[in-house]
Amino acid sequence: MSPRKTARSSSITNAPHPPASRPPASRLPEPRRRQGSRTGRLLAASVAAAACLGASAVPASAATPAGSEPVVSRGVTIPAFYNPPAQLPAADGSLVRSEPLPLGLSLPGLDGRRLPGTATRLMYKSTDAGGGPVAVTGAYIEPAAAWKGDGPRPLVALASGTMGQGDQCAPSLSLQHPLTVGEGTVSIGYDNIAVYRFLAAGAAVVVTDYAGLGTTDRLHTYVNRVDEGHALLDAARAARSVTGASVTSASRVGLYGYSQGGGASASAAELQSSYAPDVNLAGTYAGAPPADLTEVMKGIDGSALAGALGWSINGFAQSDPSLKAVVDANTNDVGKAALKDTSTMCVGDAILGHGFTDSKKWTANGKPIADVIAAEPKLRAVLAQQRIGTLKPTAPVRLVTGVHDDIVGHEQARQLAVDWCRKGADVTYEAVLLPNLGDKILTNHLAPLLTDQGAAISWLTDRLSGRATSSNCWSMPMQP
């Protein structure tokens, strides 16, 4: 039995996984008069999600060493590399294994080195929110370009935006296959653009897959701030041990992330001084961070990305198995099937399979999930523990939020800047002013990622070069 099958047998519910060729169980028949509108919204959301892809498709194939049973997630074979060993090293950030990673988009250089760099697939040890050891995968890319800034070559630890919960959605796999298509699954490596821009500037990049995304021994603990923050900081540590890497403990480190990645980079910025003081943190970019999950879950409900509710619930039950009984008591058969279904989905699948679903369809009492959480002390406590903003980052942070973001709400992101400013942190807050581009279809959430990316990369590159910055916390009362 494969590790993934073992993990699935102990997941939240024993509801059968709907075959990829069938409509997911939560997609209930709708009146014909609404079908055209819903189809149009799903198409618009799918186009918005694909807008960040700047690459052609690469076939999704993965070789498995002889004697290893392959794990298959929605028709995509997960390389045996992603199966964690029974024992892990003691030290956080220690390499478990590595191998060459062919980049899906690369060119031969004049000096024989590949452009934009040479990639290595990684597995390293981290510590999860429960204090236990966890294997995390990712990728390190040594750039072909020279670093022209001050000091030794720096490192960007990049946390990807939401990719999904299926192992085939792992960011390191998307570097190899920018577009992955399987049996009912679509995954797009939209953060690859940022990776390549940092490489072009001469900065090395390490990308984390997060706990349980890619690795086949557990479910991905989606938006768990401790798991994500630790995974990102330990990726920076692991990068130093990669054969041929030019980064060292003296290299300045920048954290970069948007959406789920913005939450991960924000959490890592808070945790760095206590968890990873050996990481020479120079600055953090946190775009559209989900800092208050109680508010964010309200924005996700009924949106194109409604499937992310399933990823959140699945992930918290993975971290705390005692929550499974609470989840089971509060979900109906449709909800149980939806949680099972989303556990192997990527973003594209979730949009097409559960886009614009009202969470009332999943709950036993017919109330929205936000109301269910409000009535359950244990669930309220779980979300309270995930709040970002209770600790002070010790290095400069640039926090960006779109004023019309209705998926990862603007107000809760702005509140994070306020919370940090009150603690005396060095915060550069930027509110992205764009017109309303459509309610709940991801456009208001994705547009700032694109329009602000150049400024974000320039700001972080300046920090990696040792240039000083100053906080604009004084302007918060005037900022939207």
Side-chain angles (χ1 to χ4, degrees):
M1 180 176 289
S2 72
R4 170 56 69 193
K5 292 177 182 176
T6 301
R8 287 285 176 260
S9 67
S10 60
S11 65
I12 293 171
T13 172
N14 291 323
H17 188 290
S21 59
R22 299 180 185 174
S26 63
R27 290 292 300 277
L28 301 178
E30 296 187 335
R32 184 175 297 275
R33 66 179 182 275
R34 293 186 58 201
Q35 193 63 45
S37 173
R38 183 184 178 98
T39 301
R41 292 165 76 200
L42 286 168
L43 179 60
S46 299
V47 170
C52 297
L53 179 66
S56 58
V58 177
S61 62
T64 302
S68 297
E69 182 183 356
V71 173
V72 179
S73 182
R74 289 187 176 255
V76 178
T77 301
I78 310 302
F81 181 95
Y82 292 82
N83 297 340
Q87 298 294 325
L88 296 174
D92 290 321
S94 295
L95 275 181
V96 176
R97 62 173 72 117
S98 64
E99 68 177 18
L101 172 65
L103 292 174
L105 289 173
S106 67
L107 296 169
L110 296 177
D111 60 357
R113 293 185 297 172
R114 302 291 297 181
L115 298 173
T118 303
T120 303
R121 199 186 322 264
L122 312 176
M123 180 182 286
Y124 59 92
K125 187 262 184 182
S126 189
T127 296
D128 65 19
V134 58
V136 181
T137 51
Y140 171 80
I141 307 100
E142 177 72 17
W147 170 246
K148 296 180 181 178
D150 180 61
R153 188 189 300 278
L155 174 70
V156 174
L158 189 143
S160 292
T162 296
M163 297 293 286
Q165 201 160 47
D167 290 330
Q168 76 278 13
C169 321
S172 63
L173 287 173
S174 76
L175 284 166
Q176 184 175 1
H177 308 295
L179 175 60
T180 295
V181 179
E183 296 171 8
T185 192
V186 178
S187 185
I188 299 170
Y190 58 88
D191 271 318
N192 293 1
I193 300 171
V195 170
Y196 280 47
R197 292 180 77 167
F198 280 118
L199 294 172
V205 178
V206 66
V207 177
T208 182
D209 288 339
Y210 302 123
L213 189 58
T215 48
T216 57
D217 61 335
R218 64 174 70 195
L219 283 173
H220 170 40
T221 46
Y222 182 68
V223 295
N224 182 306
R225 69 173 183 88
V226 175
D227 281 11
E228 293 181 339
H230 286 182
L232 189 58
L233 292 167
D234 286 326
R237 287 166 156 164
R240 307 170 194 157
S241 301
V242 175
T243 301
S246 58
V247 296
T248 68
S249 59
S251 296
R252 294 188 182 102
V253 175
L255 307 177
Y256 179 98
Y258 188 90
S259 191
Q260 180 188 3
S265 63
S267 174
E270 290 189 340
L271 296 170
Q272 177 267 336
S273 61
S274 60
Y275 181 76
D278 56 304
V279 171
N280 185 17
L281 186 58
T284 297
Y285 165 71
D292 184 347
L293 295 187
T294 301
E295 294 303 315
V296 172
M297 291 180 86
K298 295 175 185 177
I300 291 173
D301 200 345
S303 75
L305 202 58
L309 291 173
W311 299 331
S312 302
I313 295 167
N314 289 337
F316 290 126
Q318 167 71 52
S319 295
D320 182 357
S322 70
L323 290 176
K324 293 178 182 178
V326 179
V327 172
D328 190 62
N330 283 282
T331 51
N332 57 23
D333 289 345
V334 172
K336 290 176 173 63
L339 293 178
K340 190 75 170 178
D341 193 29
T342 56
S343 70
T344 57
M345 281 184 161
C346 299
V347 169
D349 329 354
I351 291 173
L352 296 174
H354 296 282
F356 306 107
T357 295
D358 190 325
S359 67
K360 293 184 215 179
K361 293 181 179 180
W362 293 0
T363 59
N365 62 8
K367 295 182 178 180
I369 283 177
D371 291 355
V372 172
I373 291 171
E376 284 281 355
K378 191 161 188 175
L379 296 179
R380 290 202 311 271
V382 167
L383 291 194
Q385 291 168 359
Q386 299 306 316
R387 182 69 180 264
I388 304 172
T390 62
L391 302 171
K392 174 188 172 183
T394 54
V397 179
R398 184 174 186 269
L399 192 154
V400 171
T401 168
V403 296
H404 289 299
D405 194 332
D406 51 359
I407 304 295
V408 181
H410 165 68
E411 290 298 331
Q412 61 86 41
R414 183 188 188 281
Q415 185 60 48
L416 174 59
V418 171
D419 292 342
W420 279 343
C421 285
R422 286 173 177 168
K423 289 177 169 54
D426 184 343
V427 179
T428 299
Y429 170 78
E430 298 284 346
V432 179
L433 301 173
L434 293 171
N436 189 324
L437 300 173
D439 294 339
K440 299 284 191 175
I441 62 171
L442 286 177
T443 43
N444 286 324
H445 180 58
L446 288 176
L449 166 67
L450 297 172
T451 61
D452 184 65
Q453 189 176 82
I457 290 173
S458 293
W459 182 90
L460 193 55
T461 302
D462 283 347
R463 306 292 78 73
L464 296 174
S465 295
R467 298 188 182 97
T469 185
S470 58
S471 171
N472 68 352
C473 283
W474 61 270
S475 70
M476 287 305 300
M478 290 83 78
Q479 292 265 28

